[in-house]
Amino acid sequence: MTEGTAPKITAQERAGVLGERLKERIYASLTLLAVLVGLAQNGHASHLGAAASVAVTALGLWLATLVADMQAHPVAHGRMPRLAEIRHTLFVSSPLLTSAVGPLLLIGLSALGALHLTTALWIAVGSEVASLAAWGCAGGLRTGAGPLGAVVVGALNAVIGAGVVAVKLLAGH
């Protein structure tokens, strides 16, 4: 490989990276669900407070992942991570940050007066549950489950998201 050229990766390696990114996105969605429900239930959240909660949650998840990966690497490999491995970690973990974009946009629309903040937060909750269902459907289709199987897998993923919502609602905070 010459200087400045990217290494060639196989389809299997590409699938592995995409799988890691999706895992992080799903993890972030489940975590954000809990935060969004808590904010929506509160009824007293400000736009700035809600946006800060969502942004800090995503940032905290991302930083925790980076710290964990950087601490685990020397233990697993007997050396510090190389630059390419650090770039890989940053790429794979980026969905932890981008997961906040949708909720932040909805909070921003609310701040502009397009909808009430509580409504924006519940829409964000619904969109996170819907994204879990969509990823489940995509996974079902990729595994050859057919349209009906994909819908079943998507529904199961949505039930998991709804379970997080239910736990938060039952907890009352």
Side-chain angles (χ1 to χ4, degrees):
M1 177 171 62
T2 61
E3 185 67 30
T5 61
K8 301 288 185 203
I9 64 170
T10 66
Q12 185 175 4
E13 290 169 327
R14 184 175 293 114
V17 169
L18 293 176
E20 289 179 70
R21 286 176 56 83
L22 180 55
K23 177 189 69 159
E24 298 294 357
R25 177 63 172 93
I26 291 169
Y27 178 65
S29 289
L30 292 169
T31 304
L32 280 176
L33 272 174
V35 171
L36 291 166
V37 170
L39 289 167
Q41 276 186 302
N42 179 341
H44 303 295
S46 67
H47 291 96
L48 183 59
S53 292
V54 168
V56 167
T57 297
L59 182 62
L61 285 171
W62 181 69
L63 289 172
T65 296
L66 292 181
V67 168
D69 282 354
M70 293 303 114
Q71 288 182 357
H73 195 280
V75 173
H77 300 281
R79 61 174 172 74
M80 296 302 292
R82 295 183 178 114
L83 184 57
E85 293 162 330
I86 293 170
R87 281 195 310 255
H88 173 83
T89 298
L90 291 171
F91 179 70
V92 166
S93 65
S94 65
L96 292 166
L97 292 172
T98 60
S99 64
V101 171
L104 288 172
L105 286 173
L106 286 163
I107 293 167
L109 285 172
S110 174
L112 294 173
L115 65 164
H116 191 273
L117 178 58
T118 302
T119 303
L121 293 168
W122 284 116
I123 291 170
V125 166
S127 71
E128 291 299 324
V129 172
S131 77
L132 291 170
W135 287 118
C137 285
L141 289 172
R142 290 266 304 164
T143 60
L148 180 60
V151 169
V152 169
V153 174
L156 290 172
N157 279 11
V159 166
I160 292 168
V164 171
V165 172
V167 167
K168 284 297 288 184
L169 290 173
L170 290 172
H173 48 52

